[in-house]
Amino acid sequence: MTKLIQIGIVGYGNLGKGALLALEQNKDMELVGVFSRRDPSRIKTETKTPVYHISDICKFQNKIDVMILCGGSATDLPKQGPEIARLFNTIDSFDTHAKIPEYFQKMDEAARSNGKTSIISVGWDPGLFSIMRTMTEAILPDGDTYTFWGKGVSQGHSDAIRRVEGVKGAIQYTIPIEGALNRVRSGQRPDLKTGEKHLRECFVVAEEGSDKSKIEETIKKMPNYFADYTTIVHFISEEELKENHAKMPHGGFVIRSGQTERESSQIVEFSLNLASNPGFTSSVLVAYARAAFRLNKEGQVGAKSVLDVAPSYLSPKSNALLRKELL
Amino acid sequence: MTKLIQIGIVGYGNLGKGALLALEQNKDMELVGVFSRRDPSRIKTETKTPVYHISDICKFQNKIDVMILCGGSATDLPKQGPEIARLFNTIDSFDTHAKIPEYFQKMDEAARSNGKTSIISVGWDPGLFSIMRTMTEAILPDGDTYTFWGKGVSQGHSDAIRRVEGVKGAIQYTIPIEGALNRVRSGQRPDLKTGEKHLRECFVVAEEGSDKSKIEETIKKMPNYFADYTTIVHFISEEELKENHAKMPHGGFVIRSGQTERESSQIVEFSLNLASNPGFTSSVLVAYARAAFRLNKEGQVGAKSVLDVAPSYLSPKSNALLRKELL
């Protein structure tokens, strides 16, 4: 039997927990340990996987093939990423779009100088959506690409509401506007402004005695976050928030609407309908961990993005079997 | 300026014509010529591209980087493919699923022994649909993949009807059954038999004086083609057939319905809605011609399928620009 790919997980939040459970579904990989900045004795994993302090990570250099970095893009990955990429092949979900070129550069230097392979910005956006945007633009050069997000929870927007005075708890759903989606699907190639593609639905728990109409107005007028959108605010009880809004669904659509010869309309659509955003994202990370392992074996070192990885690298099946069964 | 990629087209049917027009949309490529088995003086291309007899193809070895093979899978490609793959990098749309492993082997030997690169089975199925099946199965190992075709014209089924006694002309549309699609989209993971996913709608022109009810019965009972499906037969006039059924729309859906941690339902859907099947397929071929050129420059020789090609190879944009704009 082939040796199993030895995996480590760095960071044990929603994404790390998702990766741990996703690895259970992949029989060609084995989880060696979870690494955390917290006190390991206080973390119990569902699968009884050992937890180590992150300061011990260098002791695992000969024991782990790929580290799945599950930290956040704001502060964790810019620091941790290059440090760990010097020691291990890595996968991460760095998603600050504007800073990707800079992050790529740092990861490339770290990984390349030590013969490691790092695949950055893995997930669905950036990730699978990026693949769809790239491929469909290349196939239909005379066309427009539309990305819609949702229906799903936006953590950034939920956090922004929670900072409003008098708000005790809140969640925000980004919802694609059906009419806009249908105009795009019809092949019209409309020019859609930001607020014409999505609406924002907020469920807010107000502090007792607070001014609800003032809270609603503050949310709706918030620049960048809500001012340019149709925003719906519902006030609910704390129980309702816990009961009905604890899940993290998400999804979205990438649509390329283009024209080929004699103005034939061609529409390509890719969509996700996810009951659990961290569950899906971590499953994408795990599939790309397999790719990083293989690319490194082939000597393809340095930083890569999902755009640099051929589909067959994600699958545990041999290329011959893939051609027979799935091509 | 970078030198343009020099392209040749072999075969000038619907696909070859589509490729010629698709190349007009790609400014980094230049069409050198069309090669045909027919008398070149009798073929006029829309773009005034020169047409050569296929027997002259070897004279272009230093002038053409990639040949786009637009012949059929039944007889053209199994013969032409390996011959041309010895001389040029090639792209083809070989789509006899059962014979792909054998064809791959022959193309691999031909291309590899002469330092060329051949990407086989390019298009949407096999092609983009194969990529979706492979990636989504790897990401969601606990899941089921469903492929639906249509609404679109099936040439094979249309031909089968035309062979029925008393039939003067016919066209057959394969139509995905909406109820089945919706069951799959709901995350049910149903076990669907062949005839439960598609229905077959036939538009038939009967010879004068022929027995329409007998024609209808013969069609509906035809084994493999229609017997296992709900089949609808309409009799129409020759004028109606010409007027309303001359186009070649097609499309389809690949849906992966899977479950991640704690049984969260995750649905990935990829769909195509194509006004012109040859127009789209040839646009896919042209994008992969760019990939074949680049792979060959990098020394990646032999046969490949779309599963072996990273998304960035399809785009005229640099990897750095792709990371900045599309990742």
Side-chain angles (χ1 to χ4, degrees):
Chain A
M1 201 185 141
T2 327
K3 194 177 153 284
L4 300 178
I5 304 171
Q6 303 295 301
I7 303 286
I9 291 174
V10 180
Y12 200 61
N14 286 325
L15 204 56
K17 285 175 193 163
L20 178 127
L21 296 169
L23 283 162
E24 296 267 289
Q25 298 184 327
N26 288 275
K27 302 305 172 201
D28 59 334
M29 302 191 209
E30 189 168 33
L31 180 57
V32 175
V34 169
F35 298 83
S36 174
R37 280 173 308 203
R38 289 178 279 162
D39 176 357
S41 68
R42 299 188 153 209
I43 302 171
K44 293 276 166 284
T45 62
E46 275 189 44
T47 50
K48 296 179 183 162
T49 301
V51 181
Y52 304 98
H53 193 263
I54 191 147
S55 59
D56 288 330
I57 204 167
C58 46
K59 295 178 190 159
F60 289 82
Q61 267 199 84
N62 296 320
K63 293 176 192 150
I64 288 177
D65 298 309
V66 186
M67 282 287 182
I68 302 179
L69 311 186
C70 297
S73 300
T75 55
D76 300 336
L77 292 173
K79 189 175 174 299
Q80 272 179 5
E83 285 172 13
I84 301 174
R86 275 173 222 288
L87 307 171
F88 300 94
N89 302 312
T90 66
I91 296 296
D92 69 56
S93 62
F94 186 81
D95 66 357
T96 312
H97 286 264
K99 294 189 175 169
I100 284 175
E102 182 192 333
Y103 183 69
F104 181 89
Q105 191 67 33
K106 284 190 183 156
M107 290 297 278
D108 191 52
E109 283 161 18
R112 193 174 294 276
S113 60
N114 294 281
K116 301 296 177 190
T117 305
S118 289
I119 310 180
I120 71 156
S121 301
V122 177
W124 56 273
D125 196 0
L128 303 184
F129 277 19
S130 321
I131 291 174
M132 292 315 303
R133 288 189 286 258
T134 300
M135 293 185 67
T136 59
E137 180 184 282
I139 291 165
L140 297 171
D142 176 11
D144 291 301
T145 301
Y146 299 84
T147 302
F148 290 80
W149 295 277
K151 180 183 175 175
V153 175
S154 163
Q155 295 298 349
H157 288 80
S158 302
D159 288 343
I161 301 172
R162 289 181 201 122
R163 288 191 295 263
V164 171
E165 205 187 314
V167 170
K168 200 172 174 184
I171 194 159
Q172 193 264 187
Y173 295 95
T174 305
I175 302 172
I177 295 172
E178 198 69 28
L181 263 174
N182 289 337
R183 281 179 68 198
V184 171
R185 285 180 181 139
S186 75
Q188 277 184 43
R189 297 173 61 175
D191 190 10
L192 294 170
K193 293 197 190 72
T194 318
E196 292 171 331
K197 290 201 297 180
H198 301 95
L199 56 85
R200 303 198 171 279
E201 190 172 25
C202 317
F203 293 86
V204 181
V205 182
E207 303 270 12
E208 227 181 277
S210 62
D211 181 345
K212 288 185 182 172
S213 65
K214 198 181 155 196
I215 291 174
E216 181 165 345
E217 205 193 319
T218 309
I219 294 170
K220 289 185 170 175
K221 288 191 173 166
M222 207 184 290
N224 302 321
Y225 286 92
F226 295 100
D228 300 330
Y229 296 85
T230 301
T231 302
I232 302 158
V233 177
H234 307 279
F235 287 95
I236 58 171
S237 70
E238 204 161 5
E239 292 66 44
E240 276 183 89
L241 186 71
K242 268 187 201 154
E243 189 85 10
N244 303 328
H245 302 282
K247 300 222 171 125
M248 280 174 285
H250 219 314
F253 305 80
V254 174
I255 304 175
R256 179 75 176 178
S257 171
Q259 280 168 329
T260 60
E261 27 56 274
R262 295 183 206 91
E263 309 200 330
S264 297
S265 166
Q266 316 277 24
I267 315 278
V268 186
E269 178 169 339
F270 178 76
S271 67
L272 296 173
N273 180 358
L274 311 173
S276 161
N277 186 5
F280 185 77
T281 301
S282 57
S283 296
V284 179
L285 291 172
V286 166
Y288 276 92
R290 182 180 290 121
F293 174 75
R294 291 194 183 163
L295 288 167
N296 189 261
K297 284 267 174 221
E298 292 180 3
Q300 297 199 47
V301 300
K304 314 267 172 203
S305 81
V306 293
L307 304 178
D308 306 313
V309 180
S312 60
Y313 284 83
L314 307 191
S315 174
K317 294 181 175 170
S318 72
N319 286 6
L321 191 60
L322 286 176
R323 281 193 296 273
K324 188 165 181 278
E325 286 187 354
L326 296 176
L327 190 63
Chain B
M1 200 186 143
T2 328
K3 194 176 154 285
L4 301 177
I5 305 171
Q6 304 294 302
I7 304 286
I9 291 173
V10 179
Y12 200 61
N14 286 325
L15 204 56
K17 284 174 194 163
L20 178 125
L21 296 170
L23 284 162
E24 295 267 289
Q25 298 184 326
N26 288 275
K27 301 305 172 199
D28 60 332
M29 303 190 208
E30 190 169 32
L31 180 58
V32 176
V34 168
F35 297 83
S36 173
R37 281 174 307 206
R38 288 179 280 162
D39 176 357
S41 68
R42 296 186 156 210
I43 302 171
K44 292 276 167 285
T45 62
E46 275 190 43
T47 51
K48 296 181 182 160
T49 301
V51 182
Y52 304 98
H53 193 263
I54 192 147
S55 59
D56 288 330
I57 204 166
C58 46
K59 296 178 190 161
F60 289 82
Q61 265 198 85
N62 297 320
K63 293 176 191 149
I64 288 177
D65 298 309
V66 186
M67 281 288 182
I68 302 179
L69 311 185
C70 297
S73 301
T75 55
D76 300 336
L77 293 173
K79 187 173 176 299
Q80 272 179 5
E83 285 172 13
I84 301 175
R86 275 174 222 288
L87 307 171
F88 300 93
N89 300 314
T90 65
I91 297 296
D92 69 56
S93 62
F94 187 81
D95 66 357
T96 313
H97 286 266
K99 295 190 175 169
I100 284 176
E102 181 192 333
Y103 183 68
F104 180 90
Q105 191 67 34
K106 283 190 184 158
M107 290 297 278
D108 192 51
E109 284 162 17
R112 194 175 294 275
S113 61
N114 294 281
K116 301 296 178 190
T117 306
S118 289
I119 310 179
I120 71 155
S121 301
V122 177
W124 57 273
D125 196 0
L128 303 184
F129 276 19
S130 322
I131 291 174
M132 292 314 304
R133 288 189 285 259
T134 300
M135 292 185 68
T136 59
E137 180 185 281
I139 291 165
L140 298 171
D142 175 11
D144 291 302
T145 300
Y146 299 84
T147 302
F148 290 80
W149 295 278
K151 182 181 176 176
V153 175
S154 163
Q155 295 298 350
H157 288 80
S158 301
D159 289 343
I161 301 172
R162 290 182 200 121
R163 288 191 295 262
V164 171
E165 204 188 315
V167 170
K168 200 172 174 185
I171 193 159
Q172 193 264 185
Y173 296 94
T174 305
I175 302 171
I177 295 173
E178 198 69 28
L181 262 174
N182 289 336
R183 280 180 69 199
V184 172
R185 284 180 181 139
S186 76
Q188 277 183 43
R189 296 173 62 176
D191 190 8
L192 294 170
K193 293 196 190 73
T194 318
E196 291 171 331
K197 290 202 296 178
H198 301 95
L199 56 85
R200 303 199 171 277
E201 190 172 24
C202 316
F203 293 86
V204 181
V205 182
E207 304 268 12
E208 226 181 276
S210 62
D211 182 346
K212 289 183 182 175
S213 64
K214 199 181 155 199
I215 291 174
E216 182 166 346
E217 205 193 320
T218 309
I219 294 171
K220 289 185 171 176
K221 288 192 173 166
M222 206 183 289
N224 302 320
Y225 286 92
F226 295 99
D228 299 330
Y229 296 85
T230 301
T231 302
I232 302 157
V233 177
H234 306 279
F235 286 95
I236 59 171
S237 70
E238 203 160 6
E239 292 67 42
E240 275 182 273
L241 186 71
K242 269 187 201 155
E243 190 85 9
N244 304 328
H245 301 282
K247 299 222 170 125
M248 280 174 283
H250 218 314
F253 305 80
V254 174
I255 304 175
R256 180 76 176 177
S257 171
Q259 279 168 330
T260 60
E261 25 59 90
R262 295 181 205 91
E263 309 200 331
S264 296
S265 165
Q266 316 278 24
I267 315 279
V268 186
E269 177 169 339
F270 179 76
S271 67
L272 296 173
N273 181 358
L274 311 174
S276 161
N277 185 5
F280 185 77
T281 301
S282 57
S283 296
V284 179
L285 291 172
V286 167
Y288 276 92
R290 183 181 289 122
F293 174 74
R294 291 194 184 162
L295 288 166
N296 190 261
K297 284 267 174 218
E298 292 179 4
Q300 297 200 47
V301 301
K304 314 269 172 201
S305 81
V306 293
L307 304 178
D308 306 314
V309 180
S312 61
Y313 284 84
L314 307 190
S315 174
K317 294 180 176 172
S318 72
N319 286 7
L321 191 60
L322 287 176
R323 282 193 295 273
K324 188 165 181 278
E325 288 186 354
L326 297 176
L327 189 63

